[in-house]
Amino acid sequence: MIHLPGNRRPVTHPKGERGRRTRQQLLDAAEAAFGQRGYFATSVADITRRARVAQGTFYVYFPSKQAIFAELVRHLNRQLRHTIQEAVHGLDDRLAVERKGFEAFLRFVATHRDLYRIVMQAESVDPASYRWYYRHFAEGYVRGLRAAMDAGQIRRLDPEALAYCLMGIGNFVGLRYVLWDRARVPRRVLDSLFDFIAQGLVAVPPTGE
């Protein structure tokens, strides 16, 4: 793991519109550079060249390459969760939430194809960010599953274990079809996936003795 020196300043979050645009340009450039070249083969100069900003500008927003990498992992996580939240907004049925959520995740992966490689690199580059990425995603998932269990919509299981199981399904389906085949997930695959999930989640009425 690459540690930031304790006396280095933190990542800057600009308040002005111009500053926010520049910061986003740097994050977009970092996403492309880290995804295509890898963390260790990428330099700050590579990022600023892609972002079309001066190298000195980089340090206005990020103290180091490691700092922008860690922020990028969090940024992608926030973007992904926002995309899914928008897709499921207004839905009350948990099975409908699962389907729309999975579809939103797969669309996000299709437009952010470097997501997998960046997150996998985080395991060795910044383990804390790697764990944060999955744990933070799972926390919201657990809350939704627990609420659905309390409402009797799905079976009462360990919500955290269930969240990670469902996250794993989405992760590997996206890897297999979106990343490897560079295509949309076939409808037959989605139907099989959701039939499997529905059969596993559906609440079973209690039986009499």
Side-chain angles (χ1 to χ4, degrees), residues 85-93 97:
Q85 287 164 2
E86 283 196 327
V88 304
H89 180 71
L91 297 177
D92 295 322
D93 178 71
V97 168

Side-chain angles (χ1 to χ4, degrees), residues 69 73 76 114-123 130 133-134:
F69 181 85
V73 172
L76 289 169
D114 294 320
L115 173 69
Y116 279 93
R117 190 176 186 195
I118 290 167
V119 174
M120 285 190 287
Q121 289 178 81
E123 185 177 15
Y130 178 75
Y133 177 90
Y134 286 109

Side-chain angles (χ1 to χ4, degrees), residues 8 10 15 78 92 96-97 107 132 140 170 177 188:
R8 295 298 293 273
K15 295 180 180 179
R78 289 190 293 268
D92 295 322
V97 168
R107 286 196 303 272
W132 181 93
Y177 294 98
R188 60 177 174 76

